[in-house]
Amino acid sequence: MLELVYKQVKKKAFSLIELLIVIMIIGVVYTLVVGNFNKIAEEKEKLTLENLKEYLSSMDYEEEVKLLCLDDCSTCDILLDGEKSKTVEDFLDENIRVYKYDSLYGYSEIEQEVYFNAEDIEEDVCFSYALDKAGVGSQILLEYKEKFYDYSSYFTKTKVYNSIGEAREAKEDLMREVRQ
């Protein structure tokens, strides 16, 4: 009788090896999941022209956050309320063009602002984009590597077009829609 009870108890329990195998499987799955979450977080944090507005608005600032690229655009600084907080390498190059939309003339290329460094020396601005405390940025169209990035909308993500004509048509469609 005692032997029968022992066999029943033995069948209900897991062996030490079975428990170790399950723990190892859980450990492997956990490692894979955490690794993927880290990759997703790194990709989300990477600055691109498509996520520039969202990237800058996610930063902690009071008055203004600005991406400022000087000279040949090989390095860009992120300024929080006028103070340099981060440097971004190899984000852009000098082949960047910036346009502003006018309802009468369409898109026209604009010159970049004048910038004076801490020593009060004027430097060439290759590109700059700023958001104020309300999250409103410059309404510009940026041409880079045969793509056109439209930063004119306040509440939607940056739109990407293949040509300036496509961007102009989208802007004119929006203007017609607003007038109706």
Side-chain angles (χ1 to χ4, degrees):
M1 174 86 169
L2 188 58
E3 193 175 303
L4 183 61
V5 171
Y6 177 72
K7 285 183 180 181
Q8 288 177 348
V9 170
K10 189 176 179 183
K11 288 183 181 178
K12 290 183 181 180
F14 293 105
S15 72
L16 182 59
I17 292 178
E18 290 171 327
L19 289 174
L20 288 174
I21 290 172
V22 168
I23 290 171
M24 285 177 42
I25 290 171
I26 291 171
V28 168
V29 169
Y30 176 79
T31 303
L32 293 174
V33 169
V34 168
N36 285 337
F37 282 140
N38 288 341
K39 286 180 188 176
I40 291 170
E42 286 173 8
E43 287 175 8
K44 186 177 182 182
E45 290 179 10
K46 185 176 179 181
L47 178 61
T48 65
L49 287 173
E50 287 185 55
N51 74 357
L52 177 61
K53 284 193 309 188
E54 293 82 9
Y55 185 88
L56 292 177
S57 66
S58 72
M59 302 193 126
D60 188 28
Y61 65 98
E62 292 181 22
E63 293 297 319
E64 180 184 68
V65 60
K66 182 180 210 173
L67 176 74
L68 179 66
C69 306
L70 300 174
D71 299 323
D72 62 354
C73 277
S74 61
T75 59
C76 300
D77 294 326
I78 295 177
L79 308 174
L80 300 176
D81 299 320
E83 298 293 322
K84 182 177 169 180
S85 75
K86 186 176 182 181
T87 299
V88 180
E89 300 285 335
D90 300 321
F91 177 58
L92 297 170
D93 61 35
E94 63 216 8
N95 298 318
I96 190 168
R97 297 174 76 183
V98 182
Y99 302 92
K100 187 122 182 129
Y101 184 79
D102 182 279
S103 59
L104 295 175
Y105 303 111
Y107 282 106
S108 57
E109 191 168 356
I110 60 173
E111 294 294 320
Q112 289 298 317
E113 66 190 55
V114 175
Y115 176 75
F116 291 93
N117 64 17
E119 291 83 32
D120 210 27
I121 298 172
E122 183 178 347
E123 293 191 54
D124 293 331
V125 176
C126 177
F127 174 69
S128 70
Y129 185 77
L131 294 175
D132 65 13
K133 62 184 172 183
V136 176
S138 307
Q139 293 190 346
I140 58 172
L141 181 74
L142 176 70
E143 178 184 2
Y144 185 66
K145 294 189 176 180
E146 300 179 15
K147 294 283 185 191
F148 292 82
Y149 300 87
D150 186 0
Y151 295 100
S152 62
S153 177
Y154 294 131
F155 304 111
T156 61
K157 291 187 174 191
T158 302
K159 294 181 178 139
V160 181
Y161 301 104
N162 292 318
S163 69
I164 197 166
E166 187 179 336
R168 184 178 52 250
E169 287 176 24
K171 182 64 89 173
E172 289 170 357
D173 289 344
L174 179 63
M175 297 293 274
R176 279 191 289 277
E177 185 179 317
V178 168
R179 287 184 192 136
Q180 292 178 357

